[in-house]
Amino acid sequence: MALSQMKNFQRRLDNLANEAVQELDRVCGNQLWKSVGFDAFDGMSDAERRATANYYYGQWQTVKELQDALS
């Protein structure tokens, strides 16, 4: 992969991670999820908010794993 392609890929991963963090902060109402993980939102009574949090947490974890693999 060319250097420019790699930088573009890393930028897109950063954008996905930032989107996930913003949405998780919004859905959870705090940043506790960063230290607690799934437990921060698994107890939510609103199923839609819980599903959204699970989706974005999975997105955030996937991006972090890809970034670690590329490092």
Side-chain angles (χ1 to χ4, degrees):
M1 187 178 283
L3 182 61
S4 62
Q5 289 174 315
M6 182 61 99
K7 285 184 179 182
N8 189 30
F9 183 61
Q10 289 173 338
R11 182 184 53 78
R12 288 184 293 174
L13 286 175
D14 286 339
N15 288 341
L16 286 171
N18 289 336
E19 174 190 23
V21 166
Q22 289 174 358
E23 287 299 315
L24 284 164
D25 288 348
R26 184 185 61 78
V27 171
C28 295
N30 57 51
Q31 294 183 349
L32 184 63
W33 63 269
K34 287 182 180 179
S35 60
V36 178
F38 281 114
D39 293 335
F41 44 82
D42 273 351
M44 289 180 176
S45 58
D46 184 346
E48 186 175 330
R49 285 180 56 207
R50 187 173 54 247
T52 300
N54 279 316
Y55 171 81
Y56 282 107
Y57 190 76
Q59 176 177 313
W60 182 74
Q61 279 189 315
T62 301
V63 168
K64 291 299 174 192
E65 288 175 13
L66 285 169
Q67 287 174 329
D68 288 346
L70 294 171
S71 300

